[in-house]
Amino acid sequence: MADEATGRVLQVNVSPGGVPKRPVAEAWVGRFGLEGDGHAEPTEHGGPHRAVCLYGIEAIRRLTVEGHPIAPGSCGENLTTEGIELGSLPIGTRLAIGERLVLELSKPVTPCKTIAGSFVDGRFARISPELHPLDARMYARVLVEGPVRPGDPIRILPPLPESDAVAHVLLDRIEAVERFGDRERWQAAARLGWPIEIVDDGELAMAVSTALPGPAFNWVDGLRTLPHLLDRIVDRVEGVGGRAWLPVDGDGLPRGIRPPAGTRTVGRLGVFAIEPDRVRRGLDGRPSGLAVEEAVAGEESVVAALLAGGGRDGRRLTPIFGALLRAPHHTALLARVGSVPVGAALLVTRRRVGLVRHLAVPADRKTVPTRGGGADPTSDVDAVAALLLRRAAERAIELDCDLVAAVGWVGPGRRPSGLGRAGVVEAEPLGRAGLVKVAERRLLRLDGRLGRGPARSLDRARPLAAS
């Protein structure tokens, strides 16, 4: 790949939000994008991984020939380029622009109705990366901050050996399924009458409930891509009162964003994934009679009790998990030794990703409800977990998934019990089954100021207000 100048910046575009973005003579490009630029939908655009949007004039010219009323800036790109087919470049490619600015291509841009005015009959799918990859816009993260002006030369550089650009694309897919699964759990609680504040807005999903105080119902999804919205997230948590658990990038919050007072690191999570046909089979020497099948009608209470865990909290949360098992795109798996249940898992499948959202194999068999009331035989916990993961992978294949994934506790120490209800499993069985850790997260706990406002049960998801 050549590193000489192969293209140039044709136009620099900004707007306070929405389209079109208007041309300017110069802009400073920082970690979160162009100075003076904004987004009408801050939970779907912007942030460190979508700091700059680029579009080639070559694609724009092809579209105008087809009769579309498109022009530079009308589709919301910050930099209109010339001389480079951006859609042909692999993720992770670097663009050295002008005197010092260096960008890294992070992902193609999925179009939305905001840009419908640039297309005949509003057919914005004409620049979908799935349908027309060469004509799609591209997002980029900023590796080196600097100014940009029309006419600046662009040099194409290969990806850095240590680049994690591909891993971030994988995380985008996995996290979309996480958000879906979490929202279903929170909404199941709300439908059963529990007071819970839910936000469902673009790539941000969060819930806060003082009545359900554990991480399963006090959690924030989306801070890897939206760390710049942390202040507004904290305001929402403190408006309800209580605690919230915030998974952020493994390196912590980006430079310039400080964790709020009352926040501390409580551990680290690993995101594990592999192609489902590569998940290893159960361990040799598994207990006689151990089998895993999909739960059938009448077994929901058994699976729900396993996923909710033992103790008083487990008993009161069992109805929520029972309702969750009936949610769309959820598959409940039950492990038995003979006729006795010894473990359960919940698989969530969306966008060709099979996410093992819960994996419960209690070491204390007294917490396992039995249908027949007989004695519970001793079984190998590792073998039960391995067979549950294998069956989850097989089911993911049946549902046309090309990826199976899970979020695991990587320490330090033992996983806190409440994280299991939030969908965080033990990491060891994931590794034994062949899943590979593709990223780490730092898990923060925010202790909000109690009593600032009552928890509310919402009839619909509430957006996070734009700045």
Side-chain angles (χ1 to χ4, degrees):
M1 192 177 293
D3 64 357
E4 66 271 9
T6 55
R8 71 184 184 103
V9 176
L10 183 66
Q11 189 166 298
V12 180
N13 312 300
V14 300
S15 77
V19 296
K21 292 190 183 292
R22 302 296 186 183
V24 295
E26 179 178 353
W28 178 264
V29 185
R31 290 286 301 279
F32 296 101
L34 278 68
E35 197 171 83
D37 190 47
H39 304 282
E41 299 173 320
T43 60
E44 296 185 12
H45 304 286
H49 304 292
R50 298 172 302 199
V52 180
C53 181
L54 304 99
Y55 204 24
I57 191 64
E58 292 78 10
I60 293 173
R61 288 168 178 160
R62 286 191 289 269
L63 293 165
T64 56
V65 168
E66 295 176 11
H68 296 289
I70 189 173
S74 72
C75 281
E77 79 272 12
N78 298 117
L79 303 183
T80 311
T81 65
E82 185 175 41
I84 301 172
E85 287 285 5
L86 294 168
S88 68
L89 300 177
I91 298 303
T93 297
R94 292 171 294 152
L95 302 179
I97 302 176
E99 302 166 2
R100 54 181 289 183
L101 178 64
V102 181
L103 306 180
E104 178 185 65
L105 297 184
S106 57
K107 61 183 293 186
V109 182
T110 300
C112 66
K113 62 183 179 181
T114 302
I115 61 170
S118 292
F119 299 90
V120 174
D121 297 328
R123 291 184 281 114
F124 57 84
R126 174 60 184 82
I127 60 172
S128 164
E130 290 79 17
L131 301 176
H132 303 279
L134 199 62
D135 292 331
R137 298 161 296 168
M138 294 293 292
Y139 277 131
R141 57 180 62 87
V142 179
L143 299 183
V144 180
E145 299 178 1
V148 63
R149 308 174 186 87
D152 278 349
I154 303 175
R155 292 181 296 127
I156 300 177
L157 306 175
L160 293 167
E162 67 273 19
S163 172
D164 55 4
V166 174
H168 281 290
V169 173
L170 194 64
L171 289 172
D172 287 338
R173 295 183 61 196
I174 296 170
E175 289 173 3
V177 187
E178 285 186 83
R179 290 192 298 272
F180 171 78
D182 285 340
R183 290 194 303 262
E184 290 292 324
R185 183 174 66 252
W186 303 333
Q187 290 166 357
R191 285 192 293 269
L192 289 172
W194 287 99
I196 182 169
E197 173 92 2
I198 300 172
V199 172
D200 179 10
D201 188 5
E203 290 191 358
L204 175 71
M206 61 180 288
V208 189
S209 174
T210 55
L212 297 167
F217 302 95
N218 297 271
W219 192 268
V220 178
D221 290 320
L223 278 170
R224 177 183 64 88
T225 55
L226 304 171
H228 55 299
L229 301 184
L230 180 61
D231 285 347
R232 276 172 271 169
I233 292 168
V234 171
D235 286 345
R236 182 62 60 84
V237 172
E238 293 188 336
V240 174
R243 288 177 174 170
W245 281 258
L246 290 65
V248 301
D249 189 78
D251 294 329
L253 294 166
R255 186 177 69 249
I257 298 179
R258 292 185 176 183
T263 302
R264 68 185 185 92
T265 300
V266 296
R268 300 183 76 84
L269 309 177
V271 182
F272 294 78
I274 200 170
E275 296 89 343
D277 58 356
R278 294 179 59 195
V279 174
R280 289 196 287 270
R281 295 188 178 276
L283 303 177
D284 294 334
R286 70 188 190 212
S288 175
L290 175 60
V292 174
E293 300 293 342
E294 287 188 42
V296 298
E299 295 178 333
E300 289 93 343
S301 61
V302 176
V303 175
L306 284 161
L307 299 181
R312 185 175 65 87
D313 282 346
R315 288 191 296 273
R316 70 177 186 151
L317 296 179
T318 294
I320 299 175
F321 282 91
L324 182 61
L325 300 182
R326 298 185 289 274
H329 305 286
H330 286 60
T331 301
L333 303 173
L334 183 60
R336 301 183 187 85
V337 174
S339 62
V340 179
V342 294
L346 189 62
L347 178 72
V348 182
T349 50
R350 294 269 289 180
R351 302 185 180 184
R352 303 194 71 196
V353 175
L355 183 67
V356 181
R357 204 67 186 103
H358 300 274
L359 182 65
V361 187
D364 177 6
R365 298 297 177 219
K366 294 179 181 179
T367 66
V368 180
T370 62
R371 298 180 68 192
D376 188 4
T378 301
S379 63
D380 188 310
V381 171
D382 288 338
V384 175
L387 200 58
L388 281 164
L389 288 168
R390 179 64 193 181
R391 184 66 189 100
E394 290 170 349
R395 183 60 179 144
I397 293 172
E398 293 166 2
L399 294 170
D400 197 33
C401 295
D402 61 10
L403 190 71
V404 64
V407 177
W409 172 259
V410 295
R414 296 182 61 182
R415 179 195 66 177
S417 60
L419 287 181
R421 300 182 183 111
V424 178
V425 308
E426 294 285 2
E428 183 176 355
L430 301 176
R432 291 169 70 90
L435 277 74
V436 177
K437 186 173 69 174
V438 297
E440 274 201 16
R441 297 171 179 165
R442 183 176 299 182
L443 183 61
L444 308 179
R445 192 184 75 189
L446 170 64
D447 294 320
R449 295 191 294 274
L450 296 174
R452 284 188 50 181
R456 296 178 292 277
S457 180
L458 302 180
D459 295 326
R460 61 184 179 84
R462 296 178 55 188
L464 189 73
S467 57

